[in-house]
Amino acid sequence: MTKRQKTAKWLSFGGILLLCDLLQNTAGLFPEIGGARCFLLLPAAIILSMGEDERDGAFLGLFAGLLWDVSSGVHLGFNSIFIMVMCFFSCALVTYVARNTFITNMISSVVTVILYCLIYWLFFIIIKGVDGGEMTLFSFYIPCMIYTVAATPVLWLILRPVKRKFEYKEIPEI
């Protein structure tokens, strides 16, 4: 890819993550179902980073996490580190073990969403000692997990054509 094509690719991916951040973290832009929110940044970062180099995927995950951390204003760094690590391992999965298919994207995204909800609930609700925190797993985090997992295939269908547009193509020599 030329430098111009790479720049267009990463600006597009960054714009998509910015849009997902706005939809996820701005009240009223994306529908909530029974108080459950869709964590769009998690599957979007995973889907966009899969098939990329591990370093590039990690940086894309870091950017997604920074967007989430900046808009949340609490627990700075958790989202950045978590999404960066998950994007790195997703890229490594596709590079060394599996192919970049729908099933691989779904498995990686679902594992990421489940781990995120459980780890966040454990670290910042249970260990912190929030009153009534035990029930938030069932009243908020599991519904958010289900909502995000259900939205992931639709997000993959939307993002796949964008990813295909920027796939490496051999430039014929003249």
Side-chain angles (χ1 to χ4, degrees):
M1 293 179 78
T2 66
K3 192 171 189 172
R4 174 175 271 176
Q5 291 170 327
K6 287 180 185 177
T7 303
K9 173 183 175 177
W10 292 112
L11 285 176
S12 297
F13 286 4
I16 289 168
L17 290 176
L18 185 61
L19 178 66
C20 288
D21 180 56
L22 288 173
L23 289 172
Q24 172 182 311
N25 294 315
T26 304
L29 284 184
F30 201 78
E32 292 183 13
I33 300 175
R37 298 180 340 177
C38 185
F39 300 141
L40 286 173
L41 276 173
L42 292 171
I46 294 295
I47 291 168
L48 288 175
S49 67
M50 287 185 81
E52 302 296 331
D53 180 61
E54 291 88 0
R55 182 194 62 202
D56 295 338
F59 280 124
L60 195 66
L62 178 66
F63 179 67
L66 284 172
L67 287 174
W68 198 344
D69 282 336
V70 166
S71 62
S72 71
V74 293
H75 312 114
L76 288 176
F78 173 76
N79 294 318
S80 300
I81 293 168
F82 180 81
I83 299 173
M84 179 182 68
V85 167
M86 293 308 291
C87 285
F88 174 84
F89 283 120
S90 296
C91 291
L93 172 73
V94 168
T95 301
Y96 301 112
V97 178
R99 294 186 314 169
N100 190 10
T101 63
F102 174 76
I103 299 297
T104 311
N105 277 267
M106 291 305 105
I107 290 170
S108 187
S109 295
V110 167
V111 167
T112 299
V113 169
I114 290 170
L115 284 175
Y116 178 83
C117 289
L118 292 177
I119 291 171
Y120 192 91
W121 173 76
L122 182 65
F123 285 177
F124 299 111
I125 305 297
I126 297 301
I127 293 177
K128 193 174 180 182
V130 175
D131 290 335
E134 297 82 16
M135 292 309 297
T136 59
L137 179 66
F138 301 106
S139 64
F140 182 71
Y141 289 102
I142 289 179
C144 289
M145 185 187 320
I146 293 168
Y147 188 17
T148 305
V149 167
T152 300
V154 175
L155 192 60
W156 184 84
L157 288 172
I158 293 168
L159 295 179
R160 187 65 185 156
V162 175
K163 284 191 59 139
R164 285 200 175 185
K165 180 174 178 19
F166 292 112
E167 283 180 353
Y168 174 75
K169 295 176 182 76
E170 185 84 26
I171 300 173
E173 294 186 27
I174 299 176

